[in-house]
Amino acid sequence: NQQRVEEAVQSVSEKFAGSADPVLLDCTTDTNVAAYVKNYLATSGVDVSDMDIVIAARDTDAEKYIQTDGSVTFLVSPTEDRKQVGLKFTCQIGSCKATSSDWNYVTIGPDIPGYNQKVQEESKEITWDTIKGANQESSSVTAPLSLPDAVSSGDTYSTITWSSNNQAVEIGALDESTHTYPVTIHRPYPFTADAAVTLTAVFRAKIADQYTGLQNATVTFPLTVPQREAEDFTATFRVRTLDEQEVPGLKITVKDGEETLTPAGDGSSFAVKEGKTYSYEVAADGYTTRTGTFKPAENMEVSLTLYTESQTETADKKLDQILEVVDNKFYSPDRHVLDYKRLSGETDGDTAGSQ
């Protein structure tokens, strides 16, 4: 038996001696060093059925992690994920025992479940109040948000990455100097719709690249970015005849839906709102009526030409002649090219204008 315990200690010393590349204990499988050693010896062909393994820690620091029965306390720390400890192993069968002459070393790894719990706890520290910036309510986000890359500037277990599912909240690349993600708010145009946004924070363990079993925590924030208030603009109509003369008896009607707007000044200017769609009708006795729509993006001028009824009739005939030539020249089963809009240079969608 004495020979057996000495051989066992020798085998253990060969496995654990030296601190250059110590064995890394895994919290999921290596919860007891004595059991780890016995399993190693058994797989090496040593009979350990009646052998006891006693552990002695090198110092009080090592005693925090390895108990005398071999049980291991794994690390849960934001600053270190592994700890190297010195041990001596005593193999004993009855009164026969042998102890390793040199210190053997093992590395204590992180407590993965404990680390996951810490990441979950940190994810609860990020709330609307911590990220809202100058905004008051998540239902009306009009100012940049404050999105950190960690729950605090001190030691943390996780890092945070942010994403948005809508460009109304645009998140830039991490600013390493401030440890925040820059945010730009793009409010929708007036008379469209408010933007519904889901902001997502993913908390990832800092040691996730080194160990398996670590889990992310995810927090989402439903936000609303309201449409921008419309600016006030002026739409001015400039209407002329084909030879650039003023049109006598001109009547301009502009409508916001069913409501007719009241013109200002000489009757050709109208107070309008940015982004709103307005319809118009421009008429005069002896001229073909022009109709259309416009949507202001700034102060604008609506330039139109009114045609006399005889000019319109002549244009209709000429257009028919052109289209007949085009059909004869270009028609084939696989080629219908050139429509009347391209021929006439139409740009404003108005039939009389294109003619």
Side-chain angles (χ1 to χ4, degrees):
N1 286 339
Q2 184 64 36
Q3 182 178 354
R4 286 174 58 201
V5 295
E6 289 177 357
E7 290 176 351
V9 165
Q10 178 63 31
S11 181
V12 170
S13 295
E14 291 174 357
K15 173 69 173 178
F16 295 96
S19 58
D21 187 24
V23 171
L24 174 64
L25 299 180
D26 186 321
C27 71
T28 59
T29 56
D30 309 326
T31 57
N32 188 288
V33 176
Y36 182 94
V37 169
K38 291 188 74 171
N39 181 66
Y40 166 71
L41 291 172
T43 57
S44 300
V46 178
D47 180 7
V48 294
S49 57
D50 57 350
M51 187 180 298
D52 294 322
I53 308 293
V54 180
I55 309 296
R58 182 169 185 171
D59 48 39
T60 55
D61 191 39
E63 290 174 352
K64 297 177 184 177
Y65 304 101
I66 306 292
Q67 282 67 57
T68 54
D69 65 351
S71 58
V72 182
T73 300
F74 290 89
L75 277 73
V76 181
S77 167
T79 57
E80 59 181 351
D81 58 277
R82 55 180 64 193
K83 186 77 174 180
Q84 187 180 109
V85 295
L87 306 171
K88 281 193 176 182
F89 299 99
T90 297
C91 297
Q92 185 172 347
I93 303 175
S95 60
C96 300
K97 62 181 180 180
T99 302
S100 51
S101 56
D102 295 321
W103 289 106
N104 303 141
Y105 293 89
V106 295
T107 297
I108 310 300
D111 178 351
I112 299 299
Y115 218 103
N116 286 335
Q117 180 62 35
K118 290 295 184 181
V119 172
Q120 290 291 333
E121 290 172 2
E122 288 188 348
S123 72
K124 293 178 173 58
E125 296 183 35
I126 296 296
T127 65
W128 166 246
D129 285 337
T130 64
I131 69 169
K132 67 181 183 180
N135 299 284
Q136 295 302 312
E137 302 293 337
S138 61
S139 59
S140 182
V141 177
T142 58
L145 301 165
S146 177
L147 306 183
D149 69 344
V151 295
S152 73
S153 58
D155 296 324
T156 60
Y157 290 88
S158 64
T159 57
I160 309 172
T161 55
W162 295 87
S163 62
S164 166
N165 71 338
N166 191 313
Q167 278 299 300
V169 177
E170 181 181 356
I171 302 174
L174 175 66
D175 185 336
E176 298 285 355
S177 63
T178 62
H179 295 282
T180 59
Y181 290 85
V183 177
T184 303
I185 303 299
H186 301 286
R187 296 179 66 178
Y189 287 113
F191 305 105
T192 55
D194 297 342
V197 182
T198 299
L199 184 69
T200 302
V202 176
F203 296 74
R204 186 172 187 265
K206 288 182 175 179
I207 60 173
D209 290 334
Q210 300 166 255
Y211 303 95
T212 59
L214 289 158
Q215 300 170 353
N216 294 340
T218 302
V219 178
T220 58
F221 299 89
L223 311 175
T224 299
V225 178
Q227 58 186 279
R228 185 163 47 80
E229 295 294 328
E231 294 188 43
D232 293 322
F233 294 132
T234 299
T236 302
F237 282 74
R238 181 184 181 277
V239 184
R240 295 290 186 270
T241 65
L242 189 59
D243 54 357
E244 282 294 313
Q245 300 300 310
E246 291 188 2
V247 180
L250 183 65
K251 182 181 178 182
I252 302 173
T253 303
V254 175
K255 287 188 175 184
D256 175 5
E258 295 300 319
E259 180 185 355
T260 300
L261 303 188
T262 301
D266 62 357
S268 63
S269 296
F270 297 83
V272 293
K273 291 284 189 181
E274 175 194 12
K276 208 166 193 180
T277 300
Y278 298 87
S279 62
Y280 65 82
E281 179 182 280
V282 179
D285 289 342
Y287 291 84
T288 300
T289 299
R290 297 287 301 272
T291 60
T293 60
F294 64 92
K295 182 186 290 187
E298 58 187 2
N299 292 324
M300 63 180 296
E301 181 180 272
V302 182
S303 296
L304 299 171
T305 300
L306 283 194
Y307 302 90
T308 65
E309 293 174 354
S310 62
Q311 289 170 338
T312 301
E313 184 178 353
T314 300
D316 284 340
K317 292 179 180 179
K318 183 174 289 187
L319 183 60
D320 288 339
Q321 293 171 353
I322 292 172
L323 293 178
E324 184 178 355
V325 171
V326 170
D327 282 342
N328 293 334
K329 178 68 173 177
F330 292 102
Y331 178 79
S332 68
D334 61 348
R335 187 178 183 191
H336 292 75
V337 296
L338 299 180
D339 59 23
Y340 81 93
K341 290 184 179 181
R342 293 176 59 190
L343 285 169
S344 60
E346 177 188 358
T347 59
D348 63 5
D350 180 87
T351 302
S354 66
Q355 291 171 338

